[in-house]
Amino acid sequence: MLFSLFREILLQADGGGGGPEIVPLMDQLRRTCTTSYALLFATNSLITTCTSCCSAPDTIGLFGDLFRLGIVPSVLTCNILLKFAAESGDSEIVVSAYDQIKLFGLTLDAHSLGLITRSLFREKKADKAFQVWAEMIEMGVKPDINAYSSFIAGLCDCGKIDLAYAILQEISREGVQVEPMAYNMVMDGLSKEMRLQEVEMLLEDKTRQGFTPDIYGYSYLIRSYGKAGNLLKVLDHYEAMVSHGFETNCHIASYLLQCFTKLGMTSEVTEHFQKLRDSGLNVDGVLYNIAIYAYCKLGNMDEAVKLLREMKAEGLTPDRIHYTCVIKGYCLKGDVPNARQAFEVMLKANVKPDVVTYNILASGFCKNGLVTEVFHLLDHMADQGVAKQGKFVDHFSCSKLMNDLCRDGNAQGASTVCSMMLENNVIPDVISYSKLISAYCQTGDMHNACLWFHDMVQRGLSVDVIVYTVLMNGYCKVGQMEEACKLFDQMINLGIKPDVIAYTVLLDGHLKEYLQRCWQGVSKERRIYLLRAKQNMLLSSMKKMEIEPDVPFYTVLIDGQCKADFLEEARGRFDELLQKGLTPDQYVYTALISGYCSQGEIEKAQDLFEEMVDRGIKPDVLTFSVLNQKTLRERQYQ
């Protein structure tokens, strides 16, 4: 009857905090009630009624009015108010209710504590929750198992793993029990931070507290040790889990197979997948993907496709990852037709490819020189709305396709790709241009190399020392030293500082020019003089530019001086190399040994050979060829 009365009055007031009638009525009850129990009952009834027909803020306001009348509610009434405030989903309202309750000077209970802290944790206000927790403990509230457990879980949800772990350890030492869920939450957080020894200790402590082991602790350890690639630990905990009577699930099975994958144990992946399937485990999409990936990596595409079909038969729907894996497997085998077919099946299944899928297929086309197919693929991407990420794909197709063709010596194919890129308003980057120029230089086609060089410059790309060096090297190889030197001077005039590689290229070019004897009608003495002059000019320029020679530069320099019969200077350069703290390689030694042998100074050559061996530098075939092979091999050099 009292509930009905309160409800009628509250509804007449349109939920406005009780209106003018409620407060005087409660004041009358306060003055006329013969027992405190009757007033507490009335207060409890009023707040309970408010939860069904008033807002939380209005109910809290009425609660404050009761305080000002001197009516002290019970803890039960306070918890009704806190629960109602918490249901609003706004922690600020809950804290407001808590602040009102504190005015009464009441000591709340563990249930109150849980209501307030849980609402704060839901909004990730861990610091405020901890503040309230500490305050209420100081006020005399004694948390129970549920309060401790939910508080620890809340801290974990907010990423406060260290604090949750510290509290769990402390209450464990005091003999206070919590729910197994609290242990699991802390173990999960610690395992994600790879603090696995602490997880193992906590698992042992949980067992000592009398809790029966569950699958969660093992799952966390297997997952994290798998990520770390620690197969022994994975297997230890997997076997311990099985020994306690727990059957593996798809999650744990995936952790195990992913560990094998991480370690490159692809055959073990397929073997254990078959065992898991034979054991009756309902394999999910993740496990199928791991197994498909393994078969693709092994090149067993028949099994990979068989698993894809099996998924469908089991009622599972292959997603983008499954199809992309199969496409990649075919591309790795160079089976572009089947890769394309898998892509078409993917589209027919209404599975939308992403940038990764397109790039894998484009890479397969690239490796097989299918230039037109790449651009058809780019058009398809645009039609499918993936063009927002087109820049990445365009640059990929440019660099990947051109680099692959250049690497295979197909400069013409790379040139075609570059032209098609430009037609589609895609400008290759500096690296791609450099690769293309280098490919033409390798074939000795300096005409086309220069054409692309000038095209690069005209398009406003920043030409660096690498591009100039590539072109200079091409001219040196075809014996056009004058053009190479012009490029070198042009580079300096543009303010591009040459590096030691550029100087090495010119030095090597001058030496080859001398050796090829292309200066018809010029005496050997004259040629040697000119070679020395050019070497000295380059050395002087390097000094001016403050560029230090490296081992390859010294190798070319020493080789040239030896071939020009300047052994003493060559030896001096060798000693200079050592004084600078550089480590000579077999090429430097071989150049100097060859010089000594050419002058008949076999003993010096052999001494140098011994020095080379003592330094732990292994001679190559060329080194033996310039010495008496029989004599040296009798020493049984290993």
Side-chain angles (χ1 to χ4, degrees):
M1 183 174 179
L2 191 59
F3 285 102
S4 299
L5 175 63
F6 284 146
R7 183 175 178 82
E8 183 179 348
I9 295 173
L10 290 168
L11 289 174
Q12 287 177 354
D14 295 327
E21 297 85 357
I22 281 292
V23 175
L25 178 61
M26 291 301 297
D27 187 32
Q28 179 69 22
L29 286 172
R30 177 184 65 81
R31 286 186 280 105
T32 59
C33 279
T34 57
T35 63
S36 59
Y37 172 78
L39 183 59
L40 285 175
F41 179 76
T43 304
N44 182 62
S45 300
L46 173 61
I47 298 302
T48 302
T49 305
C50 284
T51 62
S52 65
C53 59
C54 295
S55 68
D58 287 342
T59 305
I60 295 169
L62 179 58
F63 198 80
D65 291 337
L66 296 179
F67 167 71
R68 282 181 284 277
L69 290 175
I71 298 175
V72 179
S74 67
V75 173
L76 175 61
T77 304
C78 292
N79 285 341
I80 292 172
L81 178 65
L82 289 171
K83 182 175 183 294
F84 183 43
E87 288 171 352
S88 71
D90 187 344
S91 66
E92 293 295 330
I93 295 177
V94 179
V95 172
S96 174
Y98 171 59
D99 290 338
Q100 286 286 351
I101 291 169
K102 284 194 294 184
L103 296 175
F104 290 101
L106 291 173
T107 299
L108 297 175
D109 60 13
H111 184 54
S112 316
L113 180 59
L115 286 169
I116 300 168
T117 55
R118 277 196 296 271
S119 69
L120 290 165
F121 282 131
R122 274 196 297 269
E123 296 182 16
K124 305 300 179 185
K125 297 178 179 179
D127 293 336
K128 181 64 177 177
F130 185 74
Q131 178 187 336
V132 170
W133 173 275
E135 185 177 272
M136 292 184 71
I137 297 295
E138 189 175 342
M139 290 166 58
V141 176
K142 296 186 180 301
D144 58 10
I145 290 178
N146 290 333
Y148 270 121
S149 300
S150 65
F151 187 68
I152 291 171
L155 289 172
C156 291
D157 280 336
C158 292
K160 302 284 187 179
I161 302 301
D162 285 334
L163 183 56
Y165 185 32
I167 292 174
L168 183 57
Q169 287 179 306
E170 181 64 27
I171 63 176
S172 177
R173 282 192 291 268
E174 294 176 359
V176 178
Q177 283 200 340
V178 294
E179 295 174 357
M181 169 268 297
Y183 276 98
N184 291 340
M185 294 278 293
V186 175
M187 286 192 290
D188 185 28
L190 292 173
S191 68
K192 287 176 179 175
E193 295 180 359
M194 302 307 288
R195 296 160 63 179
L196 302 184
Q197 289 185 342
E198 292 168 283
V199 178
E200 291 181 329
M201 291 169 59
L202 204 53
L203 184 61
E204 293 174 2
D205 182 57
K206 180 183 174 185
T207 305
R208 283 195 299 269
Q209 294 292 330
F211 292 110
T212 303
D214 57 33
I215 199 169
Y216 298 104
Y218 292 115
S219 174
Y220 304 143
L221 287 166
I222 292 170
R223 176 191 65 196
S224 298
Y225 275 123
K227 286 183 179 179
N230 191 333
L231 181 59
L232 291 178
K233 281 287 190 179
V234 169
L235 294 177
D236 284 345
H237 289 294
Y238 186 83
E239 291 168 3
M241 180 193 75
V242 174
S243 70
H244 280 93
F246 297 112
E247 292 184 1
T248 188
N249 57 36
C250 288
H251 293 293
I252 294 175
S254 69
Y255 302 149
L256 176 63
L257 297 190
Q258 284 167 352
C259 183
F260 285 129
T261 302
K262 184 180 182 70
L263 297 173
M265 302 171 69
T266 312
S267 298
E268 283 76 6
V269 173
T270 58
E271 179 184 338
H272 277 77
F273 176 79
Q274 294 294 348
K275 288 181 179 178
L276 289 166
R277 193 167 52 172
D278 294 343
S279 70
L281 178 68
N282 290 323
V283 181
D284 64 5
V286 175
L287 284 173
Y288 269 113
N289 183 62
I290 296 171
I292 290 171
Y293 174 82
Y295 279 119
C296 289
K297 194 171 182 181
L298 291 170
N300 191 343
M301 295 308 300
D302 289 341
E303 280 297 324
V305 174
K306 181 180 176 182
L307 288 182
L308 199 64
R309 291 171 182 158
E310 183 180 297
M311 280 186 70
K312 298 176 183 178
E314 293 290 334
L316 296 172
T317 303
D319 59 18
R320 183 182 65 247
I321 298 174
H322 297 98
Y323 282 110
T324 301
C325 190
V326 171
I327 292 169
K328 184 176 182 180
Y330 278 126
C331 287
L332 288 173
K333 289 192 73 175
D335 190 349
V336 175
N338 272 320
R340 186 191 290 111
Q341 184 180 358
F343 181 74
E344 291 170 357
V345 171
M346 179 182 186
L347 296 178
K348 288 178 182 177
N350 292 320
V351 179
K352 189 174 181 179
D354 62 1
V355 173
V356 176
T357 313
Y358 282 108
N359 284 347
I360 288 171
L361 191 56
S363 177
F365 292 150
C366 292
K367 289 179 180 178
N368 288 272
L370 301 175
V371 179
T372 305
E373 293 287 350
V374 172
F375 285 97
H376 287 166
L377 202 59
L378 290 174
D379 290 339
H380 187 272
M381 286 183 65
D383 294 340
Q384 295 297 314
V386 192
K388 293 178 181 178
Q389 304 175 57
K391 277 193 173 181
F392 172 74
V393 177
D394 294 349
H395 279 248
F396 160 78
S397 60
C398 176
S399 59
K400 180 64 177 173
L401 182 53
M402 289 177 64
N403 289 352
D404 287 346
L405 293 170
C406 290
R407 183 193 60 210
D408 295 338
N410 189 349
Q412 184 57 51
S415 180
T416 302
V417 173
C418 194
S419 297
M420 293 183 70
M421 289 285 179
L422 296 172
E423 288 173 8
N424 283 270
N425 297 318
V426 179
I427 300 177
D429 56 21
V430 174
I431 295 175
S432 299
Y433 266 110
S434 300
K435 295 281 186 182
L436 179 57
I437 293 168
S438 178
Y440 274 117
C441 288
Q442 292 292 331
T443 63
D445 187 349
M446 298 309 298
H447 173 73
N448 278 310
C450 282
L451 285 178
W452 284 115
F453 175 79
H454 292 307
D455 182 83
M456 178 182 181
V457 173
Q458 289 170 3
R459 293 184 186 278
L461 293 177
S462 178
V463 182
D464 57 15
V465 64
I466 297 175
V467 181
Y468 270 103
T469 302
V470 165
L471 202 55
M472 285 161 46
N473 190 42
Y475 278 122
C476 288
K477 284 187 174 182
V478 297
Q480 297 184 36
M481 285 305 301
E482 185 176 349
E483 293 297 325
C485 292
K486 283 181 181 179
L487 277 175
F488 185 80
D489 293 338
Q490 182 186 97
M491 177 173 64
I492 293 177
N493 291 334
L494 289 172
I496 301 172
K497 184 179 179 180
D499 57 14
V500 68
I501 300 175
Y503 280 103
T504 304
V505 164
L506 281 185
L507 188 68
D508 187 56
H510 287 309
L511 176 59
K512 284 183 170 63
E513 185 180 45
Y514 165 78
L515 295 175
Q516 290 169 358
R517 300 177 181 177
C518 59
W519 305 342
Q520 296 181 356
V522 181
S523 65
K524 181 179 180 181
E525 290 76 13
R526 177 65 176 168
R527 282 187 276 119
I528 290 174
Y529 171 79
L530 292 174
L531 176 62
R532 282 171 57 81
K534 289 172 181 177
Q535 288 177 340
N536 291 334
M537 181 183 67
L538 289 175
L539 288 169
S540 176
S541 176
M542 286 181 71
K543 186 175 182 181
K544 183 179 179 181
M545 290 281 184
E546 298 182 343
I547 297 172
E548 287 293 326
D550 59 6
V551 173
F553 182 88
Y554 273 113
T555 302
V556 175
L557 181 59
I558 291 170
D559 189 37
Q561 289 173 332
C562 288
K563 287 181 169 62
D565 299 333
F566 291 102
L567 281 177
E568 189 173 337
E569 287 188 24
R571 180 67 203 203
R573 293 296 180 185
F574 182 81
D575 293 337
E576 179 184 302
L577 177 151
L578 297 175
Q579 290 168 5
K580 289 185 176 182
L582 297 174
T583 303
D585 55 21
Q586 71 266 31
Y587 303 108
V588 180
Y589 274 105
T590 301
L592 198 52
I593 289 171
S594 178
Y596 281 130
C597 288
S598 66
Q599 296 297 310
E601 298 187 33
I602 304 301
E603 187 175 343
K604 287 185 179 181
Q606 290 178 341
D607 290 342
L608 199 59
F609 180 84
E610 294 293 345
E611 178 185 323
M612 177 183 183
V613 173
D614 291 341
R615 285 179 176 270
I617 300 172
K618 186 175 181 179
D620 58 13
V621 175
L622 182 59
T623 313
F624 284 110
S625 70
V626 298
L627 290 168
N628 187 318
Q629 296 184 20
K630 290 185 179 179
T631 303
L632 292 175
R633 287 180 178 170
E634 284 176 358
R635 301 185 183 198
Q636 298 182 346
Y637 171 77
Q638 299 296 324

